[in-house]
């Protein structure tokens, strides 16, 4: 069963919302993920000391062009971005 790529899909649980990455997520991802060495030990991304090194715009463009999903996980009650999920390959 094949399903069409939908970059606007939103998945929800009781506490979390999974939605597509947006350029406006850059600061939250930097603050909560990319400059925290303890968090990054579970990611392929590198540690960043400067927020200007973030490549969110390029990631969004890549995902749209290649029909790949890049979800951010945000808390429903605060909308705080707390994690990411990236689809590495097509199904």
């Amino acid at each position: 069963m094949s399903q069409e790529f939908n970059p606007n899909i939103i998945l929800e649980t009781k506490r979390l919302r999974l939605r597509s990455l947006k350029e406006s997520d850059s600061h939250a991802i930097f603050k909560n993920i990319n400059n925290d060495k303890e968090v990054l030990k579970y990611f392929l991304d590198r540690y960043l000391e400067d927020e200007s090194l973030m490549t969110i715009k390029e990631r969004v463009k890549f995902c749209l062009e290649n029909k790949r999903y890049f979800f951010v996980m945000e808390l429903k009650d605060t909308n705080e971005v707390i994690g990411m999920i990236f689809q590495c390959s097509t199904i």
Side-chain angles (χ1 to χ4, degrees):
M1 179 169 83
S2 178
Q3 190 166 354
E4 290 294 314
F5 174 75
N6 177 357
N8 299 313
I9 192 168
I10 297 174
L11 307 172
E12 294 189 358
T13 69
K14 186 176 180 179
R15 292 181 334 112
L16 299 174
R17 181 177 302 111
L18 283 73
R19 60 161 177 79
S20 293
L21 174 71
K22 300 183 290 193
E23 286 184 48
S24 60
D25 294 321
S26 181
H27 180 70
I29 290 171
F30 176 77
K31 182 182 82 162
N32 295 332
I33 298 166
N34 282 95
N35 78 336
D36 188 327
K37 290 179 181 176
E38 191 63 25
V39 170
L40 278 181
K41 71 182 182 184
Y42 303 103
F43 283 81
L44 297 175
D45 286 352
R46 67 189 192 287
Y47 171 75
L48 300 175
E49 291 190 22
D50 185 342
E51 187 171 356
S52 68
L53 299 174
M54 293 289 296
T55 57
I56 299 298
K57 186 175 185 175
E58 290 82 10
R59 289 182 187 191
V60 170
K61 181 179 176 189
F62 173 84
C63 291
L64 291 174
E65 289 175 352
N66 295 283
K67 297 185 177 180
R68 304 278 172 89
Y69 289 104
F70 196 133
F71 290 109
V72 294
M73 293 177 279
E74 65 182 9
L75 297 173
K76 282 175 125 177
D77 58 346
T78 64
N79 296 324
E80 179 183 12
V81 174
I82 61 167
M84 303 179 292
I85 302 171
F86 178 64
Q87 175 193 353
C88 295
S89 64
T90 58
I91 297 173

